[in-house]
Amino acid sequence: MLGTPIKPSPKVFTTLCIFLLLICTKAAHSSDGPQIDSLKVVLEQSLQAGENIATAHLQLGKAFTGMGQFTKALEQLEKAREAVDSKVSAKLLLDILNEQAFALMKVGKNKEGLNLFIQGKEMADALQLLDYKAEFLFSIGDYFRLQREVPTAISYLDQAGIIYSELGDEKAVCGKIKFTKAITYKVSDKDAEMKKSIEIYNEMLQDNCRQYFSGLLLAKVYSNLGACYIDVGDLAKAEENLLYALRLKKKYNRPVSRAYTLNELSSLYVKKSDHSKALEYAEEALRYAQEGEDIHLNMDILENLAVNHFNLDHQDEGFYYLQKSRDLNDSIQTRKYRETIAELEMQYESAQKDQEIIQKEFQLSAQENRLKLFALLSISLLILAIGLFLWYQNRLKSKELEARSLEKLDQMRQRYFTNISHELRTPLSLIVDPINRLKTSIDNPQQQALLQTASRNADRMLQLVNQMLDLSKLEAGKLPLQAQKSDLVSTLKLLVDSFQQAAHRKQIELSYLPDREMLEVYFDRDKLEKIIGNLLSNALKFTTAGGSVQLLVFKREKQAEIVVKDNGKGIPEEKLPLVFNRFYQVDDS
């Protein structure tokens, strides 16, 4: 009948959803997302559940991932995973797993992402899907890159590259394997691997690989190459590549990708001491980064902003961004703790289920067998308990004896050093006095020079002996402070300057960041210099080349706070409470 509306079949309606999805996904790369909202309405209206709906959710998830909106992406990918039938469409499930793992890692859930990558690789291996196996090997390598485990990452990337080469997929070899290997070498602290990264990027721009690059991927290559040149100190080439990458990225609506390049430009101008320009690029980077959910990028930019404000003497702003960076880092650590707790809960639940099965099987046994088993277990537990008790008692006695021995040895050492120091100080004083008299009565320059050398070394020996006595007094709790009111800022400035040569030799950036030009407080100059000097020495010792050490001074009401900060290997968190125990040393220090 004319005028009667035609009702499309579920299959036709679902196909229409996919068609609209492809249009909206493509448009989402050049707009802020109204098309994505339209697509979500279409999906909500659909009554058809099946492979096409799973594909629609997958494509929508990819669109959100491209825009850096990983939370929304994970929502769509979870719906896709619920809709797909793994027995009918294994490849679609693998696509969903890969995209879901990538989004999880971007929001800081690294362990969950790695588990999905491994699950996908094992599934692809079982189904003999080489292209998917290569994809998951690549993703696992990229995970270890983020963890800075360079050899492991390169191993997985090479395995994926071999499969791609066997399949004749040169685009994947160029655009994924070479690109990611270059990024992996960049995270290494070794100069040779950093240069290897630069070589790979330059090869990609010159050989046949370039024909496979999209405009955005080409921009990423130039951006990463510029960042590498910063690390090796070629600032002119770094600026040229980063500015060109930024011009390319402005053609695409990828705010997070643009933020990466802007942040590298900020770091570049910090190196060039153009702090105003560095701050300008860092602020622009933060605006774009906040449109996405890349936690690590936001944390890097906030740290960059703090450094730039400190360099421009904007102390309040510097501490503001420093605190925001610390808060973000704390949220990452909290998320890791939650993941660990969740994993332990799963293990506990699994153990509980195993225990229930054992109990059911045990109840089926005869009463006699149960009694025998119970008696055997009781005897075993009793023997184990007695053994543990005896071992624990013996261990306590050993520790007590060891502590007494150490205490006795320490007391003997203190007495020895005190006695020998007293014995040495008297003859040294008798040596110093005649030398000083001779210096005033002899006019011969050569003899004066010899007497000056003797006097200087005698004074040095006397100073060392006095320090040995001070150590004994300190350990006995009888070394008083000799505090005087003085300028803390200038005193620490001289101390930091004395370490600059050592820092330069190790290629470490040593910074002094007081929050004011003068801060007069009461302190014992000698003891303060010894303490801070020891902390700076250890910080430089355990910080690798390319790292940084900072000495910060703040005024806190009626007190001064001094902070020595470095990005070296650090001490494991669980061992921090032990660092003030006498005779304790971290095993791998």
Side-chain angles (χ1 to χ4, degrees):
M1 180 182 297
L2 294 175
T4 302
I6 300 174
K7 182 179 181 180
S9 67
K11 184 175 181 180
V12 173
F13 186 76
T14 306
T15 304
L16 178 61
C17 288
I18 301 301
F19 177 71
L20 289 173
L21 170 68
L22 296 175
I23 295 174
C24 293
T25 305
K26 184 175 181 181
H29 294 295
S30 59
S31 67
D32 291 332
Q35 289 85 353
I36 288 183
D37 294 334
S38 300
L39 175 60
K40 291 168 69 177
V41 172
V42 173
L43 287 173
E44 289 170 0
Q45 292 175 347
S46 175
L47 299 176
Q48 176 74 14
E51 301 311 313
N52 290 334
I53 295 302
T55 302
H57 284 300
L58 171 60
Q59 294 298 333
L60 187 55
K62 285 183 176 181
F64 280 125
T65 298
M67 297 170 64
Q69 299 181 16
F70 302 110
T71 302
K72 293 181 179 179
L74 286 169
E75 292 175 359
Q76 295 301 323
L77 293 168
E78 186 61 33
K79 292 178 182 178
R81 195 168 169 184
E82 291 172 357
V84 70
D85 186 344
S86 59
K87 295 181 180 178
V88 177
S89 184
K91 290 184 177 181
L92 179 57
L93 176 58
L94 290 173
D95 287 332
I96 296 169
L97 289 176
N98 193 39
E99 194 70 22
Q100 195 173 17
F102 175 77
L104 283 168
M105 290 175 63
K106 282 295 184 180
V107 296
K109 298 182 178 180
N110 295 333
K111 286 187 177 179
E112 293 181 29
L114 178 61
N115 289 336
L116 287 182
F117 283 140
I118 294 174
Q119 180 183 340
K121 183 259 179 186
E122 292 174 350
M123 183 176 173
D125 209 5
L127 296 172
Q128 297 183 348
L129 299 172
L130 289 180
D131 51 344
Y132 281 91
K133 179 181 178 180
E135 181 71 20
F136 282 106
L137 284 169
F138 162 77
S139 298
I140 295 171
D142 196 44
Y143 166 83
F144 285 109
R145 171 187 69 83
L146 293 172
Q147 304 306 309
R148 295 182 176 270
E149 298 182 26
V150 176
T152 306
I154 294 297
S155 173
Y156 278 102
L157 293 172
D158 284 340
Q159 293 179 56
I162 291 171
I163 296 176
Y164 282 131
S165 297
E166 291 175 353
L167 296 173
D169 192 347
E170 290 300 319
K171 182 178 180 180
V173 172
C174 291
K176 296 174 72 170
I177 302 302
K178 286 189 176 182
F179 182 80
T180 307
K181 285 179 72 173
I183 301 175
T184 304
Y185 283 125
K186 182 184 180 300
V187 303
S188 172
D189 294 329
K190 300 177 181 177
D191 290 341
E193 293 188 347
M194 184 65 67
K195 292 177 181 178
K196 200 167 186 177
S197 177
I198 293 175
E199 289 175 7
I200 295 174
Y201 280 129
N202 282 319
E203 286 175 7
M204 294 170 68
L205 293 173
Q206 294 172 5
D207 62 16
N208 294 331
C209 278
R210 186 158 181 162
Q211 63 181 308
Y212 299 112
F213 292 169
S214 65
L216 185 59
L217 182 56
L218 185 64
K220 290 181 180 180
V221 171
Y222 277 108
S223 181
N224 291 342
L225 181 57
C228 288
Y229 278 126
I230 293 177
D231 292 333
V232 299
D234 194 339
L235 303 185
K237 287 186 178 179
E239 185 174 30
E240 177 185 350
N241 283 278
L242 288 171
L243 289 175
Y244 184 65
L246 187 60
R247 287 197 298 271
L248 291 176
K249 288 187 177 183
K250 285 181 179 179
K251 299 177 182 179
Y252 306 93
N253 183 43
R254 293 297 181 90
V256 177
S257 180
R258 194 183 299 186
Y260 272 103
T261 303
L262 290 166
N263 191 43
E264 293 293 352
L265 279 166
S266 177
S267 300
L268 167 68
Y269 288 113
V270 169
K271 295 279 187 182
K272 297 179 75 173
S273 297
D274 189 346
H275 302 301
S276 296
K277 204 164 188 178
L279 180 60
E280 179 183 340
Y281 277 113
E283 289 174 341
E284 188 177 359
L286 183 62
R287 287 197 299 272
Y288 284 111
Q290 287 177 338
E291 294 186 35
E293 299 176 86
D294 195 323
I295 295 176
H296 297 285
L297 172 61
N298 276 275
M299 191 164 62
D300 287 343
I301 295 173
L302 289 170
E303 289 180 355
N304 212 349
L305 280 165
V307 170
N308 283 311
H309 278 295
F310 282 131
N311 286 332
L312 291 169
D313 203 23
H314 302 161
Q315 301 298 327
D316 292 339
E317 293 85 349
F319 286 116
Y320 169 76
Y321 285 112
L322 186 62
Q323 186 59 48
K324 290 195 70 174
S325 173
R326 288 175 178 174
D327 292 343
L328 198 56
N329 183 60
D330 290 343
S331 71
I332 294 174
Q333 296 302 322
T334 301
R335 183 170 291 163
K336 288 181 179 179
Y337 294 148
R338 287 175 180 172
E339 289 179 356
T340 303
I341 291 171
E343 186 176 342
L344 291 173
E345 287 177 346
M346 289 179 62
Q347 293 176 1
Y348 176 76
E349 290 175 359
S350 176
Q352 287 288 91
K353 291 179 180 178
D354 292 342
Q355 184 67 24
E356 289 175 2
I357 294 172
I358 292 173
Q359 287 177 353
K360 288 180 181 178
E361 293 177 351
F362 186 74
Q363 289 172 356
L364 294 175
S365 301
Q367 182 67 26
E368 184 180 353
N369 291 335
R370 289 202 301 269
L371 291 173
K372 288 180 180 180
L373 182 60
F374 178 76
L376 181 61
L377 288 173
S378 299
I379 293 171
S380 299
L381 289 172
L382 180 61
I383 293 172
L384 179 62
I386 293 172
L388 287 173
F389 176 76
L390 293 174
W391 172 82
Y392 183 71
Q393 287 290 100
N394 185 56
R395 186 180 178 189
L396 285 177
K397 289 179 181 178
S398 299
K399 285 194 172 185
E400 288 177 3
L401 289 173
E402 183 181 356
R404 289 174 187 170
S405 299
L406 287 173
E407 184 179 358
K408 187 176 180 181
L409 181 63
D410 189 40
Q411 290 174 354
M412 292 174 61
R413 180 180 62 82
Q414 287 182 26
R415 287 197 298 271
Y416 171 76
F417 277 114
T418 302
N419 292 338
I420 197 170
S421 299
H422 278 292
E423 292 296 328
L424 287 172
R425 190 161 60 170
T426 300
L428 278 172
S429 300
L430 295 174
I431 292 171
V432 171
D433 185 60
I435 291 175
N436 289 334
R437 291 183 182 181
L438 285 172
K439 284 167 62 178
T440 60
S441 62
I442 294 177
D443 297 328
N444 187 302
Q446 292 181 344
Q447 292 178 345
Q448 276 285 347
L450 292 173
L451 287 171
Q452 187 67 31
T453 301
S455 176
R456 184 169 59 251
N457 284 286
D459 288 340
R460 175 60 178 159
M461 288 183 66
L462 187 59
Q463 182 183 6
L464 291 173
V465 170
N466 288 332
Q467 286 182 359
M468 291 169 65
L469 285 172
D470 287 344
L471 179 61
S472 299
K473 291 178 181 179
L474 177 63
E475 292 182 341
K478 298 179 180 179
L479 183 64
L481 286 175
Q482 295 179 352
Q484 293 182 344
K485 192 172 185 180
S486 184
D487 181 17
L488 180 64
V489 174
S490 60
T491 300
L492 292 178
K493 176 68 168 61
L494 293 173
L495 182 62
V496 172
D497 289 343
S498 67
F499 282 91
Q500 287 293 353
Q501 187 64 31
H504 179 73
R505 188 166 56 252
K506 290 193 66 177
Q507 297 180 351
I508 295 172
E509 183 180 357
L510 176 59
S511 305
Y512 180 45
L513 302 172
D515 67 347
R516 60 197 65 235
E517 294 182 357
M518 177 179 289
L519 180 57
E520 289 194 340
V521 293
Y522 283 93
F523 61 93
D524 187 323
R525 179 185 293 269
D526 178 64
K527 295 177 181 59
L528 178 71
E529 289 179 349
K530 288 177 181 177
I531 294 169
I532 302 302
N534 180 265
L535 291 174
L536 288 173
S537 176
N538 281 330
L540 292 172
K541 180 179 178 181
F542 294 104
T543 301
T544 55
S548 66
V549 176
Q550 294 178 337
L551 179 64
L552 303 98
V553 181
F554 316 114
K555 183 178 180 183
R556 297 284 188 255
E557 295 180 356
K558 295 184 179 181
Q559 294 180 327
E561 179 179 346
I562 304 172
V563 177
V564 178
K565 176 182 177 184
D566 65 73
N567 58 357
K569 65 187 294 183
I571 299 174
E573 185 174 353
E574 66 274 10
K575 295 183 179 180
L576 284 175
L578 305 174
V579 296
F580 292 105
N581 289 358
R582 302 192 67 185
F583 311 110
Y584 181 78
Q585 187 174 20
V586 178
D587 296 337
D588 58 348
S589 65

